[in-house]
Amino acid sequence: MSIYEGNYPVSRLRRTRMSPVLRSMVRETELAVNDFIYPLFAVPGTKVKKEISSMPGVYQMSVDEIVRECVDVHGMGIPAVIFFGIPPQKDAVGSEAYDEHGIVQTALRAVKKEVPELYLITDVCMCEYTSHGHCGIVKGDEIVNDASVELLTKEALTHAQAGADMVAPSDMFDGRVGAIRRVLDANGFTNLPIMSYAAKYASGFYGPFREAAESTPQFGDRRSHQMDPANSDEALREVAQDIREGADIVMVKPALSYLDIIRRVKDEFHMPTAAYNVSGEYSLIKAAAAKGWVDGERVMMEVLTSIKRAGADMILTYFAKEAAAILKKR
Ligand code: PBG
């Protein structure tokens, strides 16, 4: 007889659920504040703190406000942030992305100075910096791979030089992790880790982010480089390739419609695994909670727990501060 075969009434599964104490003792997954990475959107100017209309509670902030926010985030025990930058000018080759005085580079230097203990990650991509909103260089209707990768290596290097503790390429071009690794190593950053957006899907759940990062493609879409939501084996090939190229942490993105992918990646590779609880996943909960249709806090904690249960070691989430506050109260 298998132990999974029912043996009622000798066996009663409800017994371990009867008291809060016992429920907490048998709990398999426990969220912790140090699971969270908090995304921040840097914009030019001073004293700018502009709420993103589709993401209540999330702001575009100038560097001075970002510094203030980072002091706060660090004080709450959240270990890490990830920076996105919205430059004053965009052009066809995203020049501001790899400018040593670019918006993210400036934010890095300012935050490193004020909050040296906070772990600073940068999103490495061109889409916020190009006039056409694509993640790299465009020729005709093709988003070019190799020439774009070269620009991404320049972007990653300027981030490292400005004080980034880790870089996170989010473009999904082929060969970019290896190329970034080589450039970092050649410039003395052998110990700087890469978190690759390894299995990143072409997802409708990025909608609100594109308002936040002002990165909506002006034509076409991202389906020639981001993955088809219907595929799962392909995600393993993507992750395997990034690990071979030197990725230290692999990410699955989005999280909720891809919990199965998180689990497969964790089981297959046993690597430090991150999941990105993306903008649309945040906004859906915020909108339903505002209408009183769901209990926002409860659903938030349930969702974050499910991502960790699926196998994520860390979660990039706009909920980080709210969830940290709840965990602290418990
Ligand atoms: C690309 C990038 C995107 C997100 C993170 N990095 C957008 C995209 O691929 O179009 C989405 C994050 C979110 O939706 O919260 N720089």
Side-chain angles (χ1 to χ4, degrees):
M1 190 181 82
S2 145
I3 59 160
Y4 291 110
E5 225 164 276
N7 190 25
Y8 167 86
V10 173
S11 154
R12 288 178 185 270
L13 292 173
R14 289 184 61 194
R15 284 191 201 112
T16 54
R17 296 177 201 143
M18 287 292 171
S19 82
V21 176
L22 195 50
R23 280 201 296 276
S24 81
M25 289 168 72
V26 301
R27 188 161 297 136
E28 298 172 36
T29 307
E30 207 89 59
L31 274 181
V33 179
N34 63 8
D35 298 331
F36 301 141
I37 298 168
Y38 189 52
L40 291 168
F41 298 97
V43 294
T46 47
K47 296 205 168 79
V48 182
K49 188 168 177 181
K50 186 171 160 237
E51 191 167 36
I52 296 143
S53 63
S54 55
M55 300 178 74
V58 179
Y59 301 83
Q60 293 181 333
M61 281 178 273
S62 50
V63 170
D64 52 323
E65 294 287 337
I66 293 245
V67 170
R68 217 192 311 264
E69 182 77 356
C70 285
V71 172
D72 230 42
V73 164
H74 175 63
M76 299 182 80
I78 296 167
V81 295
I82 180 163
F83 288 118
F84 297 92
I86 297 104
Q89 272 105 234
K90 304 183 188 236
D91 61 32
V93 292
S95 310
E96 295 264 345
Y98 38 90
D99 182 330
E100 62 175 311
H101 301 295
I103 185 76
V104 164
Q105 292 83 348
T106 305
L108 283 165
R109 280 189 290 265
V111 174
K112 236 334 150 223
K113 201 162 139 223
E114 290 299 317
V115 208
E117 308 85 11
L118 190 65
Y119 197 81
L120 308 183
I121 308 169
T122 59
D123 183 88
V124 175
C125 193
M126 306 291 289
C127 65
E128 297 112 64
Y129 303 92
T130 52
S131 42
H132 41 69
H134 282 296
C135 308
I137 295 171
V138 174
K139 280 215 175 84
D141 56 7
E142 185 182 336
I143 303 159
V144 179
N145 194 88
D146 300 6
S148 300
V149 167
E150 207 173 308
L151 297 183
L152 293 170
T153 64
K154 287 169 71 175
E155 183 180 11
L157 180 60
T158 59
H159 289 172
Q161 287 164 337
D165 296 299
M166 178 156 80
V167 293
S170 69
D171 49 282
M172 287 295 282
F173 297 142
D174 288 317
R176 90 274 205 223
V177 172
I180 290 172
R181 184 72 271 157
R182 283 189 292 279
V183 167
L184 290 176
D185 288 354
N187 286 275
F189 293 102
T190 46
N191 290 326
L192 195 121
I194 298 175
M195 174 166 70
S196 82
Y197 287 67
K200 176 175 177 178
Y201 287 86
S203 170
F205 286 97
Y206 308 149
F209 173 94
R210 302 212 175 138
E211 181 199 339
E214 301 174 13
S215 65
T216 309
Q218 300 303 302
F219 59 89
D221 55 40
R222 308 221 200 285
R223 283 176 232 242
S224 79
H225 50 293
Q226 298 179 351
M227 280 184 56
D228 182 339
N231 294 354
S232 170
D233 288 343
E234 187 189 0
L236 301 187
R237 294 199 295 277
E238 278 286 0
V239 172
Q241 181 165 316
D242 284 6
I243 294 170
R244 280 201 60 166
E245 288 179 27
D248 301 281
I249 299 174
V250 290
M251 191 199 300
V252 174
K253 175 185 176 193
L256 291 183
S257 294
Y258 303 89
L259 293 175
D260 57 325
I261 309 297
I262 298 173
R263 171 49 61 195
R264 280 194 81 185
V265 166
K266 189 66 187 174
D267 286 349
E268 182 79 17
F269 300 104
H270 308 284
M271 284 286 287
T273 304
Y276 202 137
N277 176 214
V278 300
S279 58
E281 298 172 337
Y282 174 86
S283 301
L284 255 55
I285 292 176
K286 284 292 172 191
K291 286 202 174 263
W293 291 349
V294 295
D295 175 341
E297 276 194 4
R298 186 170 170 185
V299 172
M300 164 182 76
M301 296 309 271
E302 187 172 333
V303 155
L304 294 170
T305 303
S306 75
I307 297 169
K308 189 165 183 188
R309 192 197 61 228
D313 301 295
M314 59 199 93
I315 307 171
L316 296 90
T317 179
Y318 305 98
F319 287 122
K321 285 173 71 185
E322 279 175 83
I326 290 175
L327 290 172
K328 197 167 178 192
K329 261 193 296 184
R330 281 184 186 166

